[in-house]
């Protein structure tokens, strides 16, 4: 059964996202969560930055279980916490959807495909690594990974710009300049942005209390 298909056993229903928008989505189930994370992990190459846009397409656009803002928040948290970004994002999505059982199922679905694949490759590593056909396939996959990463950058940047916040747009551009042009350590850029975001939130809360 393909995920995102209009199945008779999974009728679509209307839900309300955090941003107040009405979206169509499938009923939530542990099995569908496991199938989604397993499929994404099994057919994703290039690390967390590649799996995140695919998770967004599955859980936001197809299944309708999350809104776009939640996915952006999970991406920021997964990137800034220790561990593999894909696993971190899966844990956050699974816990948000179905609590600890969802987190465990999503983690299992994400970890099992690479574990199985690497176990099989390790049995014939020398023959695999020296195969000319495999080398050309991997080179072709590198081009695909670059395209997917470019897609996630454009998607996330577009989501920020759609909020029409000059502050967020300037912060995004400043972070890009610091990381890519000035070559400042990415962790320092993330910490600085997190502190600025915290400060902005606290200032907004105080302003709201004063009003």
């Amino acid at each position: 059964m393909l995920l995102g298909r209009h199945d008779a056993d999974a009728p679509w229903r209307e839900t309300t996202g955090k941003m107040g928008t009405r979206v169509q989505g499938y009923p939530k189930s542990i099995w569908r969560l496991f199938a989604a994370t397993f499929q994404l992990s099994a057919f994703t190459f290039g690390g967390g930055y590649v799996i995140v846009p695919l998770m967004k397409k599955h859980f936001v656009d197809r299944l309708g279980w999350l809104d776009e803002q939640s996915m952006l928040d999970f991406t920021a948290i997964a990137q800034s916490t220790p561990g593999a970004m894909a696993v971190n994002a899966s844990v956050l999505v699974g816990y948000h959807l179905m609590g600890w059982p969802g987190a465990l199922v999503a983690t299992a679905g994400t970890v099992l495909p690479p574990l199985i694949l690497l176990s099989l490759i390790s049995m014939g590593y020398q023959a695999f690594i020296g195969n000319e056909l495999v080398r050309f396939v991997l080179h072709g996959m590198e081009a695909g990974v670059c395209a997917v990463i470019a897609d996630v950058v454009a998607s996330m940047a577009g989501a920020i710009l759609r909020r029409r916040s000059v502050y967020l747009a300037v912060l995004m551009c400043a972070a890009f300049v610091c990381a890519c042009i000035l070559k400042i350590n990415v962790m320092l850029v993330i910490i600085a942005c997190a502190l600025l975001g915290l400060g902005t939130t606290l200032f907004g809360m105080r302003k709201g209390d004063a009003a």
Side-chain angles (χ1 to χ4, degrees), residues 15 25 85 92 99 104-105 109 117 129 133 146 150 173 184 190 194 196-197:
T15 58
M85 185 175 175
L92 292 168
L104 293 174
V105 166
L117 184 60
I129 202 66
L133 179 61
C146 291
C173 295
I184 297 175
I190 292 174
L196 288 171

Side-chain angles (χ1 to χ4, degrees), residues 97-138:
L97 293 174
M98 302 176 190
W100 285 112
L104 293 174
V105 166
T107 302
T110 303
V111 170
L112 281 175
L115 179 62
I116 295 171
L117 184 60
L118 290 175
S119 299
L120 294 174
I121 291 176
S122 65
M123 297 178 183
Y125 176 75
Q126 292 300 328
F128 180 85
I129 202 66
N131 190 296
E132 192 73 9
L133 179 61
V134 171
R135 187 170 66 85
F136 282 121
V137 168
L138 292 176

Side-chain angles (χ1 to χ4, degrees), residues 69-82:
Q69 184 57 48
S70 295
M71 196 66 236
L72 284 173
D73 293 340
F74 293 153
T75 301
I77 297 171
Q79 182 186 24
S80 57
T81 51

Side-chain angles (χ1 to χ4, degrees), residues 17-191:
K18 288 185 178 180
M19 304 300 288
T21 56
R22 305 295 290 181
V23 296
Q24 294 290 332
Y26 287 94
K28 298 174 185 176
S29 70
I30 285 287
W31 160 246
R32 194 176 293 277
L33 176 62
F34 177 81
T37 52
F38 188 93
Q39 179 182 351
L40 287 170
S41 182
F43 296 99
T44 300
F45 300 89
Y49 289 104
V50 176
I51 198 172
V52 164
L54 299 181
M55 290 180 72
K56 185 258 182 187
K57 285 181 172 63
H58 255 60
F59 293 111
V60 178
D61 300 335
R62 294 183 183 178
L63 298 181
W65 290 358
L66 296 171
D67 57 64
E68 190 170 343
Q69 184 57 48
S70 295
M71 196 66 236
L72 284 173
D73 293 340
F74 293 153
T75 301
I77 297 171
Q79 182 186 24
S80 57
T81 51
M85 185 175 175
V87 176
N88 293 344
S90 296
V91 171
L92 292 168
V93 170
Y95 182 79
H96 178 79
L97 293 174
M98 302 176 190
W100 285 112
L104 293 174
V105 166
T107 302
T110 303
V111 170
L112 281 175
L115 179 62
I116 295 171
L117 184 60
L118 290 175
S119 299
L120 294 174
I121 291 176
S122 65
M123 297 178 183
Y125 176 75
Q126 292 300 328
F128 180 85
I129 202 66
N131 190 296
E132 192 73 9
L133 179 61
V134 171
R135 187 170 66 85
F136 282 121
V137 168
L138 292 176
H139 281 313
M141 287 165 52
E142 289 176 2
V145 168
C146 291
V148 174
I149 292 177
D151 175 70
V152 69
V153 170
S155 176
M156 294 177 69
I160 292 174
L161 294 176
R162 282 194 295 273
R163 298 178 67 176
R164 297 181 180 180
S165 170
V166 176
Y167 171 74
L168 291 177
V170 171
L171 185 60
M172 177 179 65
C173 295
F176 174 80
V177 171
C178 290
C180 298
I181 299 177
L182 301 180
K183 305 298 181 183
I184 297 175
N185 189 292
V186 175
M187 284 305 302
L188 296 177
V189 176
I190 292 174
I191 292 172

